[in-house]
Amino acid sequence: YGMETVGLRYFNVFGSRQDPSGPYAAAIPLFTIRYRNRQSPVINGDGSHSRDFTYIDNVVLANNLAATVTDSEALNTIYNIACGERITIKDLALRLRKSLSRFDASIADVALQYGPEREGDVPHSLASIEKAKQKLGYQPAVYFSEGLDLAAEWYYENYR
């Protein structure tokens, strides 16, 4: 007998408690720690590469929807889980600096630093979440700006 499944493809998940020290550490915790220590975050390339960042609460929501879906039309397929927003890495760094400046005004003066582009880096990533909206009832609960403020506050309070 067959087992019905739902596959979820997450795009650039971020949020509190993300390890900033591992070899695959994401940009948000890395940039936050650098800002916290009044060091420039290092952006690979010119900052024009973009990503669709997804706050962790959206992943939890999508998991719950996928685990409880009963509509046969929604089963045995894969869904993109994201916010459907394209944010450049430079814009991420600027927004994060502004968010962290709420806690320490001197962070606003930290300059951005640009390094070489990473070989093989995908220039742009933007998810289509229409299928997840239509078949799972998925709607992001936390969009990028709000999620970034929440994550920035957690990292500011918990890491140096």
Side-chain angles (χ1 to χ4, degrees), residues 1-156:
Y1 66 102
M3 187 168 172
E4 307 294 341
T5 62
V6 172
L8 301 177
R9 182 184 303 117
Y10 309 119
F11 282 69
N12 300 288
V13 179
F14 73 98
S16 59
R17 295 180 178 80
Q18 201 172 13
D19 184 2
S21 61
Y24 300 105
I28 293 171
L30 287 175
F31 286 9
T32 301
I33 301 308
R34 293 198 56 91
Y35 277 134
R36 180 91 166 82
N37 292 310
R38 309 313 173 283
Q39 299 171 334
S40 298
V42 179
I43 296 173
N44 299 313
D46 65 2
S48 65
H49 285 195
S50 63
R51 299 291 178 264
D52 191 341
F53 293 96
T54 309
Y55 190 67
I56 188 64
D57 288 8
N58 298 326
V59 170
V60 173
L61 171 64
N63 286 345
N64 287 332
L65 290 169
T68 58
V69 69
T70 57
D71 181 357
S72 62
E73 294 290 316
L75 298 171
N76 297 318
T77 191
I78 297 172
Y79 299 93
N80 293 332
I81 303 304
C83 285
E85 295 179 89
R86 196 170 97 175
I87 310 296
T88 68
I89 303 305
K90 180 179 179 180
D91 193 29
L92 160 68
L94 293 172
R95 289 186 193 197
L96 185 56
R97 181 174 66 188
K98 182 178 179 183
S99 182
L100 290 166
S101 295
R102 297 176 298 155
F103 309 107
D104 180 343
S106 70
I107 292 174
D109 297 326
V110 176
L112 302 181
Q113 180 180 342
Y114 297 90
E117 266 192 45
R118 289 190 307 192
E119 191 173 323
D121 202 5
V122 174
H124 304 289
S125 176
L126 177 62
S128 171
I129 59 174
E130 290 308 309
K131 186 167 65 168
K133 284 180 174 182
Q134 292 170 0
K135 294 189 175 189
L136 294 178
Y138 172 75
Q139 180 65 40
V142 179
Y143 282 91
F144 177 74
S145 291
E146 179 187 359
L148 187 65
D149 285 344
L150 293 169
E153 181 175 359
W154 189 88
Y155 278 105
Y156 186 85

